Amino acid sequence: MIKRLLCIPLIFLMLLLLTGAAAVSRVETFLVVGFDDANANTDVMALVRYSPASGMVSVLQIPRDTYTDAGTAQNKINQIYPHALAGSGERDAMETLRDTLSDQLGVHIDRFVAVSTDSFVRLIDALGGISLHIPDGVVLDGITGEPGETVLLDGAAALQLVRQRSQYASGDLGRIDAQKLFISALLHRVGEGFSIGFLRVLYTEMHAGMITDITLPEAVGCAWNFMMHFADSQIYYMNLPGAAIQKPDGPWYYVANRAAAQEVLSDYFGAGSFDPGRKLCPPFGSEFRAIYEAEKFEYRIYTDDELSDIRIP
């Protein structure tokens, strides 16, 4: 009787691993989104591409103020989801966001996951917190430590780190650089390894606050594969190439540079044609178009080891 009972979880484990392995046997790109609390704007947005065979992970962060001709109030990329949500359900709105980004960036997006702030806090707390170096000049409620010192952030402190902008002279661009440090620490935490059972608990813990088309076997299989090959992984971090500029007497925008974005997305995400409909080119004036159309544009790709070079103004 005991042997028979032991076989049940073993068979389940084998099925879980097999279905999960099948789900991550090819290169896939995930859209990862974090909502604000007020109006469902997607204030955190990134593409994550994972190649199980090579262990290569590419993380592309998309600034919330990126201009896009999407028919929203200010034509900002973080307004696409709430604009779609006004006329449909949450999953349909996420599919609209995914499809819009796929068309404009030229990247095939396989899966999406959107996380509420409450769900994010529960995830970090379930992980036992995240250890990282606090950037110079950043003060978090309830966290003591010198700049550069490694501290353990609980869910509430981690949420402060990834969401605040006021402490950075460069505003949202400073925030997404701080998010790189957090993403790296999170990947290292996952890469340290968990049991299958704990991964299932994490998924269940978050699921109430998630909008996703990723199934439990896919989530567990992807995380398990990443853990098994973490030591050999190559992780790259980058922003959508571009620059921030203010509209005269109006809001700030982030304008993508077409040539550099094409290069980055082709090299790291297997992209086709970037922005074929020129939806990301603002019509506000020559200074905006100059950013979009410049043939030479500097950008930085960080490896995991090079994140210590980040200086957040």
Side-chain angles (χ1 to χ4, degrees):
M1 179 65 177
I2 294 177
K3 290 182 178 179
R4 186 175 302 171
L5 289 174
L6 286 173
C7 284
I8 294 173
L10 287 175
I11 291 172
F12 174 76
L13 176 61
M14 290 175 64
L15 288 172
L16 195 61
L17 288 174
L18 287 172
T19 54
V24 295
S25 60
R26 63 186 180 87
V27 177
E28 288 198 312
T29 299
F30 303 87
L31 170 61
V32 181
V33 164
F35 295 122
D36 67 9
D37 289 324
N39 50 19
N41 284 346
T42 50
D43 278 357
V44 177
M45 193 181 308
L47 295 184
V48 180
R49 191 176 198 239
Y50 177 49
S51 173
S54 67
M56 181 175 171
V57 180
S58 302
V59 180
L60 175 86
Q61 293 171 270
I62 304 171
R64 54 171 286 183
D65 293 327
T66 300
Y67 175 87
T68 178
D69 183 7
T72 61
Q74 294 181 325
N75 279 330
K76 292 189 175 185
I77 208 162
N78 72 329
Q79 298 171 345
I80 295 174
Y81 173 82
H83 183 75
L85 185 63
S88 63
E90 293 176 334
R91 190 181 179 97
D92 288 341
M94 276 302 300
E95 290 175 351
T96 296
L97 175 60
R98 177 201 61 199
D99 294 345
T100 301
L101 292 178
S102 290
D103 291 343
Q104 294 180 1
L105 302 181
V107 175
H108 177 76
I109 300 173
D110 299 281
R111 297 284 189 271
F112 60 77
V113 56
V115 183
S116 68
T117 54
D118 288 344
S119 185
F120 175 86
V121 170
R122 289 198 303 271
L123 167 66
I124 302 307
D125 286 340
L127 287 170
I130 297 294
S131 295
L132 52 68
H133 297 291
I134 299 298
D136 291 347
V138 175
V139 178
L140 302 176
D141 294 341
I143 300 297
T144 59
E146 296 298 323
E149 180 182 347
T150 298
V151 296
L152 182 67
L153 304 184
D154 63 10
L159 184 64
Q160 284 185 65
L161 179 69
V162 301
R163 293 196 64 203
Q164 69 179 353
R165 294 185 292 167
S166 60
Q167 296 187 36
Y168 307 125
S170 55
D172 192 52
L173 296 181
R175 177 173 68 166
I176 64 177
D177 278 346
Q179 289 169 3
K180 288 180 179 65
L181 301 176
F182 174 81
I183 293 168
S184 174
L186 178 61
L187 290 176
H188 278 267
R189 181 71 179 96
V190 174
E192 292 173 2
F194 302 107
S195 67
I196 287 289
F198 188 61
L199 288 171
R200 292 178 61 243
V201 170
L202 287 179
Y203 183 90
T204 302
E205 184 72 20
M206 290 184 64
H207 201 268
M210 287 196 305
I211 308 167
T212 185
D213 58 356
I214 304 173
T215 66
L216 174 59
E218 288 171 336
V220 172
C222 187
W224 189 258
N225 189 296
F226 179 68
M227 287 188 298
M228 292 299 97
H229 300 92
F230 178 70
D232 299 321
S233 294
Q234 297 172 296
I235 307 175
Y236 300 93
Y237 304 85
M238 64 210 76
N239 297 342
L240 178 69
I245 182 173
Q246 187 177 20
K247 186 178 179 182
D249 299 321
W252 281 86
Y253 285 90
Y254 185 85
V255 180
N257 174 260
R258 190 175 194 180
Q262 177 71 71
E263 186 172 88
V264 166
L265 289 165
S266 296
D267 291 348
Y268 291 89
F269 288 85
S273 178
F274 175 79
D275 194 24
R278 295 178 65 87
K279 295 287 187 178
L280 299 174
C281 182
F284 304 140
S286 59
E287 314 89 40
F288 288 79
R289 289 193 299 275
I291 296 172
Y292 179 86
E293 295 174 348
E295 295 184 4
K296 299 291 184 180
F297 198 89
E298 292 186 2
Y299 60 88
R300 176 74 185 268
I301 307 293
Y302 291 93
T303 65
D304 209 39
D305 293 336
E306 291 170 341
L307 285 180
S308 60
D309 294 341
I310 285 182
R311 296 294 179 264
I312 302 174

